[in-house]
């Protein structure tokens, strides 16, 4: 049998045709050669997929190689119909095959499968012939596997948890023996052990399939990685850039100042815009038979057209509207400002003004705004007519004060002025200041129940807005009840809500009778910044109906309740995930410390954004960015119909604590398009987090961050976000003092809240913030606030539990290593080391004054040694630490499953069994830790 083999590396696809009706395709590649067939994994909803999978074909007759041909077919997998559709194919004849040393990656254009079909895009392949005997041929697909990907998934996934149970049960034993416990969801999963990227393909991104799961450390990737980053696909790593910004070119993290004067927009690329301010008109001629005029102004530059609102029956209207046309998209040398009359059938022409772009002045801030002028309107023949229009036209940059409120040509389609301008402008939002409301319900007296012969079973229900809490029921022998319970709520300034307390009597199952109510305006509640005692008060209970109120006036005594209510400003109200908080200050302003620095963010652009919708038969996106730090939220303008948008907007925040995180998210605008009526939810694309403590003072970080999102099919790259970040410290002494103080305010330690309370209150805080920001214009919708604040971070999943467990193990790895080393010293496995340790031990026993100096010197030397390995770049999401790239598909299905579940009972029972097995594995690991740390041989000469 011949050792000659044909190697085919399927690298990537580019600009493939959408087939699923949503502007995307779930693509895979089938390879056919010499009666052998191989298939790659499916890349869900990706028109630019990366596979980087290698297959080896047996060449049965090398002498007949020139008569053979390799055919690569790109399919779209349709799981709902269990079928596949052809996107295009590539045919390579045997005369084109070259040895491995001469092979390079070549992008082949896709051909049509038939006369009536269509094809688009390219397929990157590397094809070569090798006779390396160490390379084994891949296992070809069986005939039954020639169906769709979903059927293959069902064949291999019949008993995934049985495999997982076997892996977990032998997990720790396999580690001790040095074995790797690995299984593959798909057959022939790329043969990664046999694939070695050559120098010709080292610049290609290497991507690991999400269908593989390994409990062993992965081999390091060949490619450029930043120091301190774990081994993960190169396509998921940060890429440092050197763009030309307003302050000069960024070289090595520092701005190389140019001769141009610096401006406040020195972290973004300067973009020039043609600004047109339409102020007002006067003495316009009437066009209707009745003598009335409904004027509006149309500003045209090439194919771009901006329109003001129209005024009914007004010959002297005032608009004061600004239009901004990007200089990069200017399609004409003449600007036209046309005044028209609004009609039902066809709008009438009133007059026009034309400007030559060569004559328009340039304005550079801090120059004063250009004064508008009156211009006489002209007719279509160029003759001066009745009516004047006040207009100002100038060329400026995004630093112009008119930029945020202007209508943008790059934020609207070329043929439509769009009535959704409100939803596409950049805005700055201020999150409301949140307070914890503590309601201490002490007791109630002189309760009046309907049935005199029955003992009351009383509880108190408290409500603020949509937040409802209850005390424990108390069955009393008298008409008095005592609780002494604390109920915690979240309220936002200004305090428009009321605290409503209902005293209820349980008269039957799920049936309560209201005995009375108390309504307390939150604006009248006492505020406190420490743990001082608030004076309690008695409140008279009011009846619900008016007739009962009249009857209660006849009573000699009124029912009342004893309360202690306060607004606790000494806490920080957690409205974000505790791991990624952007603000740790207490609510009370008198407890705030001065800021320690300024954080500046330049949102430059987004690249290769995944299409989120279909328009005119092609995939596209209408993207905008949202950034959150402290109480300040920012939203960039929406760039419509663009997969590589350029924003170039700069913002700044005050920093009060370096142990905080800046979050930037990218979204697709749901208010633009034809399907707005069906649902206007803004769709998440991805987000980036920057930890302030990882930034050097004064340095400019310009990196391209990959937008990684976990989908039901695995980790998916949705594009890249290009940012420029700078942290300027105003007081280094104050910043260093913060590291010696607790992370949270003092009240969190003096009177701590339980974990259950914090989770409930955080959920309430997110709801309050989302409700308040959704009332802005344009609104920051609830789905954006929840995604930016990680509102679902408390939800349990097997992947998260594994990630947290192995992170915990990595923390204790040093302690485990010390325990193993100490055991080896005690067993005298290395005599030299044991002798040195005994000498050091005797020396410290004889001279105990050297214990602390020795420990400090050792720690100093270790820190000095590790200092050169410190990360020089901000860390980014690591798919290996989160176990996102090695999780089993069934675990992903469990994580994205809804409640109630969509799966059958047997699968849910099997998942419960696996969870139990996983708990047993954790207990085994705990036992192993205890054994290595505590167990010391009795023969140890160090035992005292």
């Amino acid at each position: 049998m011949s050792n000659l083999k044909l190697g085919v590396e399927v690298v990537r696809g580019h600009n493939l045709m959408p087939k699923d009706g949503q502007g995307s395709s779930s693509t895979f590649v089938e390879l056919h050669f010499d009666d052998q067939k191989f298939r790659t994994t499916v890349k869900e909803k990706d028109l630019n997929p990366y596979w980087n999978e290698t297959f080896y074909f047996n060449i049965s007759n090398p002498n007949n190689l020139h008569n053979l041909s390799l055919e690569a077919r790109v399919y779209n997998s349709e799981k709902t119909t269990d079928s596949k559709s052809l996107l295009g194919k590539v045919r390579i004849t045997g005369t084109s095959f070259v040895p491995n040393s001469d092979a390079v990656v070549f992008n082949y254009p896709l051909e049509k499968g038939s006369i009536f079909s269509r094809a688009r895009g390219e397929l990157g392949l590397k094809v070569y012939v090798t006779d390396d005997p160490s390379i084994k041929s891949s296992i070809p697909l069986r005939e039954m596997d020639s169906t769709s990907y979903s059927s293959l998934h069902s064949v291999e996934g019949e008993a995934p948890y049985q495999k997982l149970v076997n892996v977990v049960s032998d997990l720790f034993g396999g580690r001790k023996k040095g074995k790797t416990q690995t299984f593959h969801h798909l057959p022939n999963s790329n043969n990664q052990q046999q694939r070695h990227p050559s120098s010709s393909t080292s610049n290609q991104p290497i991507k690991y399939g999400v269908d593989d799961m390994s409990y062993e450390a992965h081999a390091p990737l060949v490619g450029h990685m930043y120091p301190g980053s774990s081994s993960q696909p190169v396509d998921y790593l940060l890429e440092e850039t050197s763009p030309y910004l307003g302050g000069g070119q960024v070289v090595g993290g520092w701005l190389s100042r140019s001769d141009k004067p610096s401006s406040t927009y020195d972290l973004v690329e300067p973009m020039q815009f043609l600004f047109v301010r339409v102020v007002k008109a006067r003495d316009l001629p009437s066009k209707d038979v009745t003598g009335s005029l409904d004027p509006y102004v149309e500003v045209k530059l090439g194919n771009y057209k901006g329109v003001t609102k129209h005024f009914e029956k007004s010959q002297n209207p005032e608009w004061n509207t600004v239009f901004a046309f990007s200089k990069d998209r200017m399609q004409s040398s003449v600007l036209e400002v046309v005044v028209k009359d609004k009609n039902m059938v066809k709008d009438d022409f009133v007059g026009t003004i034309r400007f030559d772009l060569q004559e328009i002045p340039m304005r550079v801030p801090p120059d004063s705004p250009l004064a508008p002028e009156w211009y006489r309107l002209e007719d279509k023949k160029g003759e001066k007519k009745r009516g004047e229009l006040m207009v100002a036209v100038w060329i400026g940059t995004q630093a112009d004060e008119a930029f945020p409120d202007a209508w943008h040509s790059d934020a609207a389609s070329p043929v439509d002025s769009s009535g959704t301008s409100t939803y596409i402008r950049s805005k700055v939002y201020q999150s409301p200041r949140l307070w914890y409301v503590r309601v201490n319900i002490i007791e109630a007296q002189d309760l009046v129940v309907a049935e005199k012969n029955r003992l009351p079973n009383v509880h108190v229900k408290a409500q603020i807005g949509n937040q409802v809490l209850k005390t424990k029921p108390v069955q009393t022998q008298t008409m008095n009840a005592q609780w002494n319970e604390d109920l915690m709520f979240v309220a936002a300034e200004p305090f428009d809500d009321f605290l409503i307390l209902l005293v209820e009597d349980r008269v039957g199952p799920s049936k309560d009778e209201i005995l009375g109510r108390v309504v307390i305006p939150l604006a009248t509640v006492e505020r406190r910044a420490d743990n001082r005692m608030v004076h309690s008060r008695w409140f008279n209970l009011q009846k619900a109906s008016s007739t009962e109120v009249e009857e209660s006036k006849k009573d000699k005594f009124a029912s009342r309740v004893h309360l202690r209510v306060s607004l606790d400003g000494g806490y920080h109200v957690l409205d974000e995930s505790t791991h990624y908080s952007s603000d740790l200050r207490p609510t009370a302003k008198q407890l705030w410390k001065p800021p320690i620095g300024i954080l500046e963010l330049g949102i430059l652009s987004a690249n290769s954004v995944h299409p989120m919708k279909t328009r005119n038969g092609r995939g596209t996106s209408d993207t905008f960015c949202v950034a959150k730090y402290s109480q300040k939220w920012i939203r960039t303008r929406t760039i419509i119909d663009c997969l590589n948008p350029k924003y170039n907007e700069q913002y700044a925040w005050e920093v009060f604590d370096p142990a905080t995180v800046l979050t930037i998210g990218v979204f697709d605008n749901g208010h633009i398009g034809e399907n707005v009526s069906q649902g206007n939810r803004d769709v998440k694309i991805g987000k980036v987090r920057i930890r302030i403590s990882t930034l050097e003072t004064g340095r400019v970080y310009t990196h391209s961050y990959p937008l990684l999102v976990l989908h039901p099919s695995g980790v998916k790259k949705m594009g890249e976000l290009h940012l420029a970040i700078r942290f300027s410290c105003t007081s280094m002494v104050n910043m260093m003092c913060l590291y010696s103080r607790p992370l949270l305010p003092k009240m969190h330690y003096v009177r701590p809240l339980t974990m259950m309370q914090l989770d409930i209150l955080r959920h309430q805080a997110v709801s309050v913030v989302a409700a308040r920001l959704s009332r802005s214009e344009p609104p920051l919708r609830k789905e954006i606030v929840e995604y930016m604040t990680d509102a679902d971070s408390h939800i349990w999943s097997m992947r998260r539990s594994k990630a947290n467990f192995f992170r915990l193990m990595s923390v204790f790895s040093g302690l485990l290593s010390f325990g193993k080393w100490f055991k080896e010293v005690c067993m005298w496995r290395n005599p030299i080391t044991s002798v040195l340790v005994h000498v050091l031990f005797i020396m410290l026993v004889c001279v105990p004054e050297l214990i602390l100096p020795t420990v400090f010197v050792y720690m100093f030397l270790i820190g000095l040694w590790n200092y050169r390995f410190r990360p020089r770049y901000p860390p980014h999401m690591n798919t290996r630490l989160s176990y996102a790239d090695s999780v089993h598909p069934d675990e992903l299905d469990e994580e994205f499953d809804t409640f109630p579940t969509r799966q059958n009972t047997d699968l849910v029972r099997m998942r419960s069994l696996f969870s139990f097995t996983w708990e047993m594995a954790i207990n085994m690991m705990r036992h192993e830790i205890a054994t290595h740390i505590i167990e010391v041989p009795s023969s140890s000469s160090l035992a005292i």
Side-chain angles (χ1 to χ4, degrees):
M1 185 176 180
S2 174
N3 289 328
L4 199 63
K5 298 176 181 63
L6 179 67
V8 181
E9 183 175 347
V10 184
V11 182
R12 59 162 295 182
H14 175 67
N15 195 25
L16 301 180
M17 181 180 297
K19 275 283 188 178
D20 59 358
Q22 300 177 359
S24 185
S25 293
S26 301
T27 56
F28 67 93
V29 179
E30 271 192 7
L31 302 174
H32 298 260
F33 177 79
D34 200 6
D35 297 329
Q36 302 168 59
K37 182 192 303 183
F38 297 130
R39 177 169 39 227
T40 65
T41 55
V42 176
K43 300 300 180 181
E44 298 287 344
K45 296 188 179 301
D46 198 348
L47 297 179
N48 298 280
Y50 281 87
W51 286 286
N52 288 307
E53 301 181 15
T54 304
F55 305 91
Y56 294 97
F57 295 83
N58 276 326
I59 301 177
S60 58
N61 186 5
N63 298 326
N64 194 35
L65 181 60
H66 62 280
N67 294 325
L68 300 177
S69 61
L70 169 70
E71 186 169 316
R73 304 173 184 172
V74 184
Y75 289 96
N76 169 49
S77 175
E78 301 176 1
K79 293 184 179 181
T80 56
T81 60
D82 196 19
S83 61
K84 60 183 180 182
S85 55
L86 183 66
L87 302 179
K89 66 178 182 179
V90 172
R91 187 180 181 87
I92 307 173
T93 60
T95 56
S96 304
F97 299 158
V98 296
N100 189 12
S101 58
D102 298 332
V104 295
V105 178
F106 191 83
N107 292 324
Y108 296 88
L110 293 179
E111 302 174 355
K112 295 189 295 183
S114 62
I115 300 177
F116 303 100
S117 63
R118 292 188 304 166
R120 189 185 76 181
E122 299 174 339
L123 181 63
L125 298 176
K126 180 182 177 182
V127 184
Y128 54 90
V129 177
T130 180
D131 58 354
D132 190 351
S134 63
I135 297 178
K136 297 181 180 180
S137 300
S138 304
I139 303 175
L141 293 175
R142 303 184 300 270
E143 289 299 325
M144 62 174 295
D145 292 337
S146 60
T147 55
S148 67
Y149 172 78
S150 58
S151 62
L152 178 63
H153 177 88
S154 61
V155 170
E156 289 294 323
E158 278 187 319
Y161 273 94
Q162 185 60 37
K163 297 181 180 180
L164 287 176
V165 169
N166 296 335
V167 170
V168 174
S169 61
D170 197 36
L171 170 62
F172 306 106
R175 283 187 171 179
K176 293 178 181 178
K177 298 175 184 178
K179 297 187 295 184
T180 303
Q181 300 292 340
T182 308
F183 69 87
H184 303 281
H185 176 62
L186 290 176
N188 183 35
S189 182
N190 311 346
N191 288 337
Q192 293 182 7
Q193 295 85 352
Q194 304 168 7
R195 187 177 67 219
H196 304 279
S198 60
S199 58
S200 61
T201 59
S202 59
N203 59 342
Q204 295 294 329
I206 301 174
K207 204 165 185 178
Y208 282 71
V210 298
D211 299 318
D212 302 339
M213 182 174 181
S214 175
Y215 290 91
E216 191 79 357
H218 296 271
L221 291 174
V222 178
H224 177 70
M225 296 183 184
Y226 292 140
S229 64
S230 299
S231 171
Q232 63 173 344
V234 178
D235 198 31
Y236 293 172
L237 296 179
L238 274 70
E239 179 183 353
E240 188 177 19
T241 61
S242 298
Y244 286 89
L245 305 180
Q249 185 181 11
V250 179
V251 179
W254 305 97
L255 287 172
S256 56
R257 295 290 178 182
S258 59
D259 297 334
K260 299 180 181 180
S262 61
S263 64
T264 55
Y265 281 74
D266 60 343
L267 290 186
V268 292
E269 299 177 8
M271 298 178 65
Q272 288 191 347
F273 292 88
L274 172 64
F275 290 96
V276 181
R277 181 186 296 276
V278 181
V279 184
K280 56 184 177 180
R282 65 184 180 187
D283 197 25
L284 295 178
S286 59
K287 286 293 180 180
D288 294 343
V289 179
T290 58
S292 63
L293 180 71
D294 302 332
Y296 70 93
V297 177
E298 182 180 275
V299 182
K300 295 178 62 177
L301 183 63
N303 289 332
Y304 291 97
K305 179 176 63 176
V307 180
T308 66
K309 63 180 180 180
H310 74 278
F311 288 89
E312 294 183 358
K313 299 180 180 181
S314 175
Q315 294 180 323
N316 299 284
E318 291 189 15
W319 293 283
N320 199 22
T321 304
V322 181
F323 301 90
F325 297 89
S326 176
K327 192 175 182 181
D328 297 336
R329 299 189 179 187
M330 288 185 181
Q331 303 171 344
S332 176
S333 60
V334 177
L335 170 69
E336 294 184 71
V337 183
V338 184
V339 181
K340 292 186 176 182
D341 177 28
K342 187 76 172 178
N343 286 327
M344 294 293 295
V345 181
K346 184 179 179 180
D347 298 341
D348 294 331
F349 176 84
V350 178
T352 182
I353 304 173
R354 291 180 176 87
F355 295 89
D356 187 356
L357 298 187
Q358 302 295 331
E359 304 297 330
I360 296 177
M362 179 78 181
R363 177 184 176 247
V364 180
D367 290 350
S368 299
L370 189 67
E373 301 180 26
W374 286 104
Y375 293 88
R376 182 68 63 85
L377 296 178
E378 301 176 354
D379 59 9
K380 295 182 179 180
K381 296 180 180 180
E383 299 179 359
K384 301 292 183 180
K385 294 295 181 181
R386 176 187 171 186
E388 291 181 302
L389 185 66
M390 180 178 283
V391 179
V393 183
W394 73 96
I395 295 179
T397 64
Q398 66 268 41
D400 201 293
E401 64 270 8
F403 179 79
D405 295 328
W407 175 94
H408 293 275
S409 62
D410 58 354
S413 57
V415 295
D416 183 22
S417 62
S418 182
T420 58
S421 60
T422 306
Y423 297 97
I424 62 179
R425 292 177 177 173
S426 57
K427 290 294 178 182
V428 176
Y429 306 84
Q430 196 70 18
S431 183
R433 194 150 61 109
L434 303 178
W435 291 74
Y436 281 147
V437 182
R438 187 185 295 272
V439 183
N440 181 226
I441 302 175
I442 303 174
E443 59 179 334
Q445 291 183 354
D446 301 329
L447 299 176
V448 179
V449 296
E451 301 179 10
K452 303 296 184 181
N453 299 327
R454 185 181 58 85
L455 296 178
N457 190 3
V458 187
H459 66 271
V460 178
K461 181 169 69 175
Q463 180 178 358
I464 297 179
N466 295 328
Q467 309 170 48
V468 179
L469 294 177
K470 295 181 180 180
T471 64
K472 295 179 180 179
V474 174
Q475 190 168 5
T476 176
Q477 301 292 332
T478 62
M479 294 305 165
N480 302 330
Q482 292 186 352
W483 293 277
N484 199 20
E485 287 188 32
D486 278 350
L487 303 180
M488 298 289 292
F489 299 89
V490 176
E493 292 183 344
F495 299 114
D496 298 328
D497 294 328
F498 295 88
L499 170 63
I500 302 175
L501 294 104
L502 302 176
V503 181
E504 298 180 342
D505 180 22
R506 177 62 58 90
V507 296
S510 302
K511 184 178 180 182
D512 297 327
E513 178 186 348
I514 300 178
L515 302 182
R517 56 180 289 178
V518 176
V519 179
I520 304 174
L522 290 180
T524 63
V525 175
E526 184 178 356
R527 308 183 185 188
R528 63 175 181 175
D530 50 16
N531 198 29
R532 64 180 178 84
M533 186 64 67
V534 177
H535 296 291
S536 60
R537 292 177 56 191
W538 287 94
F539 294 88
N540 293 330
L541 294 179
Q542 300 176 357
K543 295 293 183 179
S545 62
S546 59
T547 56
E548 291 178 349
V549 172
E550 295 175 358
E551 292 178 358
S552 63
K553 294 180 180 179
K554 302 177 183 179
D555 298 338
K556 188 176 182 180
F557 300 100
S559 302
R560 58 179 185 170
V561 62
H562 195 192
L563 304 175
R564 184 179 287 113
V565 186
S566 63
L567 289 167
D568 289 356
Y571 293 94
H572 168 68
V573 181
L574 294 170
D575 59 340
E576 302 170 280
S577 174
T578 53
H579 308 293
Y580 305 107
S581 293
S582 61
D583 190 9
L584 300 171
R585 293 174 295 170
T587 303
K589 285 188 176 181
Q590 59 265 33
L591 300 179
W592 290 4
K593 303 296 181 182
I596 61 171
I598 300 294
L599 175 65
E600 298 170 276
L601 170 66
I603 303 177
L604 303 180
S605 61
N607 303 318
S608 303
V609 177
H610 190 274
M612 306 302 294
K613 62 182 66 169
T614 303
R615 183 177 295 143
N616 298 328
R618 59 184 179 86
T620 185
S621 292
D622 307 322
T623 58
F624 65 93
C625 298
V626 175
K628 181 195 184 304
Y629 186 78
S630 186
Q631 293 182 343
K632 180 179 176 181
W633 297 65
I634 65 97
R635 173 189 179 130
T636 66
R637 69 190 190 281
T638 300
I639 308 297
I640 294 181
D641 199 14
C642 184
L643 298 180
N644 296 281
K646 292 184 178 181
Y647 305 99
N648 287 305
E649 300 184 22
Q650 184 171 341
Y651 302 91
W653 290 267
E654 287 186 332
V655 177
F656 292 87
D657 197 315
T660 48
V661 178
L662 168 69
T663 304
I664 307 103
V666 184
F667 300 88
D668 178 73
N669 199 321
H671 295 85
I672 302 170
E674 301 175 355
N675 299 325
V676 176
S677 59
Q678 299 178 7
N680 53 357
R681 289 178 58 88
D682 296 327
V683 183
K684 62 183 181 182
I685 297 178
K687 63 184 171 185
V688 174
R689 290 192 175 98
I690 309 296
R691 196 169 291 276
I692 309 303
S693 59
T694 62
L695 304 179
E696 295 183 19
T697 302
R699 182 171 181 175
V700 179
Y701 294 87
T702 54
H703 291 86
S704 183
Y705 294 82
L707 300 173
L708 304 179
V709 178
L710 186 63
H711 284 271
S713 58
V715 180
K716 189 173 183 179
K717 183 178 178 181
M718 306 294 289
E720 296 180 352
L721 183 62
H722 196 191
L723 303 175
I725 304 168
R726 177 173 58 199
F727 171 60
S728 303
C729 182
T730 57
S731 177
M732 184 64 69
V733 176
N734 291 342
M735 186 176 70
M736 297 305 296
C737 289
L738 288 175
Y739 284 98
S740 63
R741 298 175 182 171
L743 191 64
L744 294 173
K746 183 178 179 181
M747 278 295 294
H748 285 271
Y749 308 99
V750 174
R751 194 171 183 180
L753 304 175
T754 63
M755 293 300 298
M756 184 68 70
Q757 278 183 311
L758 289 176
D759 287 340
I760 296 175
L761 292 173
R762 178 171 171 263
H763 178 73
Q764 296 174 356
V766 172
S767 300
V768 171
V769 173
R772 186 64 60 88
L773 294 181
S774 63
R775 293 160 54 185
S776 306
E777 196 67 36
L780 268 185
R781 307 195 68 85
K782 181 179 180 181
E783 58 268 17
I784 295 179
V785 176
E786 291 180 348
Y787 182 63
M788 296 289 290
T789 57
D790 276 349
D792 60 346
S793 61
H794 64 285
I795 299 176
W796 183 91
S797 71
M798 182 59 66
R799 177 191 60 84
R800 290 176 179 175
S801 66
K802 287 180 181 178
N804 293 332
F805 175 73
F806 285 112
R807 285 176 187 172
L808 187 63
M809 292 306 303
S810 64
V811 172
F812 290 103
S813 60
L815 195 58
L816 284 173
S817 301
F818 176 79
K820 293 179 181 179
W821 173 83
F822 186 72
K823 183 177 180 180
E824 291 178 357
V825 170
C826 297
M827 298 296 294
W828 288 83
R829 294 180 180 175
N830 192 337
I832 298 177
T833 304
S834 299
V835 170
L836 292 177
V837 171
H838 280 75
V839 171
L840 179 62
F841 177 72
I842 295 173
M843 182 180 64
L844 294 179
V845 170
C846 297
V847 189
E849 294 82 0
L850 296 179
I851 295 178
L852 288 179
T854 303
V855 172
F856 288 136
V857 168
Y858 177 77
M859 294 174 62
F860 174 77
L861 294 177
I862 292 298
L864 195 63
W865 175 262
N866 293 330
Y867 179 75
R868 59 188 184 132
F869 301 109
R870 71 190 187 279
R872 302 297 179 91
Y873 303 93
H876 187 53
M877 175 184 175
N878 194 319
T879 56
R880 299 300 170 88
L881 293 180
S882 62
Y883 271 72
D885 62 341
S886 59
V887 66
H888 191 271
D890 195 79
E891 295 177 3
L892 283 174
D893 181 73
E894 179 186 12
E895 184 168 352
F896 286 93
D897 195 7
T898 59
F899 182 82
T901 181
R902 298 167 300 178
Q903 306 296 339
N904 55 43
T905 308
D906 295 336
L907 184 58
V908 175
R909 187 181 297 109
M910 192 176 300
R911 288 172 176 173
S912 302
L913 175 62
F914 177 72
S915 301
F916 174 74
T917 308
W918 177 249
E919 293 295 331
M920 291 179 59
I922 294 178
N923 293 331
M924 292 170 56
M925 180 62 78
R926 290 174 178 172
H927 176 72
E928 186 178 2
I929 294 174
T931 302
H932 282 291
I933 296 178
I934 300 175
E935 180 183 355
V936 178
S938 58
S939 59
S940 172
S941 59
L942 296 181
I944 298 177

